[in-house]
Amino acid sequence: MDYPSVILKPKEEGRLEGGHLWAFSNEVAQAPANTVPGALADLFKSGKSFLGRGFYHPHSLIAFRILTDQKDQEIDQAFFEKRFKNGLEWRESVYPDCRAYRWVFGESDELPGLIVDRYGDYLAVQALSAGMERLKEVILSALQKISQAKGILWRADASLRELEGLPIEPSKVVIGEIPPRIKITTENGLFSVDLFGGQKTGFYFDQRDNRQALAAYCKGMRVLDAFCYSGGFGIAAARAGAREVVFVDSSHAALELTQENAERNGMTGKFTCVEGDALALLAAEPPGGAFDVISIDPPAYARSKKHLPIALKAYEKLNALAMRGLKRGGILASSSCSHHVDRELFMQMLRKSARKAQRSFRVIELRSQAKDHPVLLAMPETEYLKCAILQVI
């Protein structure tokens, strides 16, 4: 099959030859006119040698997303089945006793703009690129063939879709049926998940290894899980022997889910749910006094580069308050899921926060996203989560 040709400007191929999967609009010299956003096309160097086959978008900053560097490879159901099998093998190898994980993590699984989360017999799928949206039926057929899922949910509510000119729409069950609540088991506990209205696709798989890491410091401790959503950090802490956990979130629905999950994990009588602003709670004298362990996992403050200065100030204020809320010897797990806040900026922010809090800390662990969210070496963009575990000294 012949595909339209997209040709780069001279000397713009180096990053792509190194394994990066995006070509930007200002790097394109020539492209077919009147191309449908997300259409399959072939990418060439200025000298006309082949670079890759993938999606071309004439109106997006990310003009080309490479799917394969093999010129004879068709982008059909067999292609997706192979990619899905490769992704599944990795997740089953790192989480052999678990059937809940991120199955496909976009570029890191050579499927740019596609997210698939597995919740046992159910799947939640997100298309974040116009090309993946165009191949929706092929993708669903391949997933169903490999997974034999009882239900597949197509989530089209992510704001990133707007950058591709895609509509924001309610989630839809596209195959089978999905109950209002899915029950999953992870290394960190037993959880109820709302696939339809929950944050992300319903659960924060990216923090699973970090929750386990923090739990190791929580035996006998009083723990604050701020921005708790469904209670992941606090429940992992309780299962590791924490004597008390305080959950805080501004969402009433999230706290209802947290309470349900906490009780399911045997925490009755050992936890408190507080609905409100975590910053306000930390700024005031915390009920019960300082904490032994605090986890702060706020939403992404830096949605774009232009928001970065304001976001860093917000992170600095939050972390300084959390640092002041710890006992001597206490542990802070500080997370940032803002892609634009890279590791260096994150550590600089933590140093400024410590100075503002007038407290001294040592770094116990510096962590990233879970193993089912692997980072593509050639694409720093695929690493977005930072988690530092610090101790007051």
Side-chain angles (χ1 to χ4, degrees), residues 124 152-155 157 170-173 177-182 193-202:
I152 300 180
L153 183 73
W154 191 265
R155 289 200 60 157
D157 54 353
S171 302
K172 294 181 182 178
V173 178
E177 296 181 355
I178 295 178
R181 286 278 203 270
I182 304 295
V193 179
D194 176 5
L195 296 194
F196 294 91
Q199 298 172 23
K200 287 209 169 184
T201 67

Side-chain angles (χ1 to χ4, degrees), residues 242-260:
R243 75 173 190 274
E244 180 190 355
V245 178
V246 177
F247 296 103
V248 179
D249 203 286
S250 60
S251 166
H252 182 74
L255 284 178
E256 285 186 333
L257 198 56
T258 293
Q259 181 162 342
E260 181 181 334

Side-chain angles (χ1 to χ4, degrees), residues 9 29 37 62 109 113-114 131 177 181 213 233 238 255 257 259 261 276 280 304 307 314 331 361:
K9 294 176 181 177
I62 303 173
D109 286 291
L114 183 67
E177 296 181 355
R181 286 278 203 270
F233 275 100
L255 284 178
L257 198 56
Q259 181 162 342
N261 289 330
S304 65
H307 295 130
I331 298 288
F361 285 81

Side-chain angles (χ1 to χ4, degrees), residues 341-386:
V341 179
D342 62 23
R343 192 170 289 248
E344 183 178 349
L345 283 175
F346 180 63
M347 294 304 292
Q348 288 177 4
M349 176 276 297
L350 289 174
R351 293 185 189 105
K352 290 181 180 179
S353 299
R355 287 198 294 271
K356 182 176 285 189
Q358 298 184 316
R359 308 202 74 176
S360 182
F361 285 81
R362 55 187 174 193
V363 179
I364 306 301
E365 299 185 46
L366 186 57
R367 306 179 59 83
S368 183
Q369 58 235 37
K371 293 185 284 291
D372 54 356
H373 291 65
V375 175
L376 190 62
L377 184 60
M379 289 192 71
E381 295 90 342
T382 59
E383 181 177 24
Y384 65 95
L385 181 62
K386 285 75 56 183

Side-chain angles (χ1 to χ4, degrees), residues 77 81 84 103 121-123 125 137-152 174-176:
Q77 183 167 328
E81 287 177 12
F84 292 152
W103 178 356
D121 293 325
Y122 305 94
L123 304 178
V125 185
E137 297 307 320
V138 174
I139 290 166
L140 291 173
S141 295
L143 282 172
Q144 180 63 1
K145 181 176 178 180
I146 294 188
S147 69
Q148 297 296 306
K150 291 181 180 178
I152 300 180
V174 287
I175 291 178

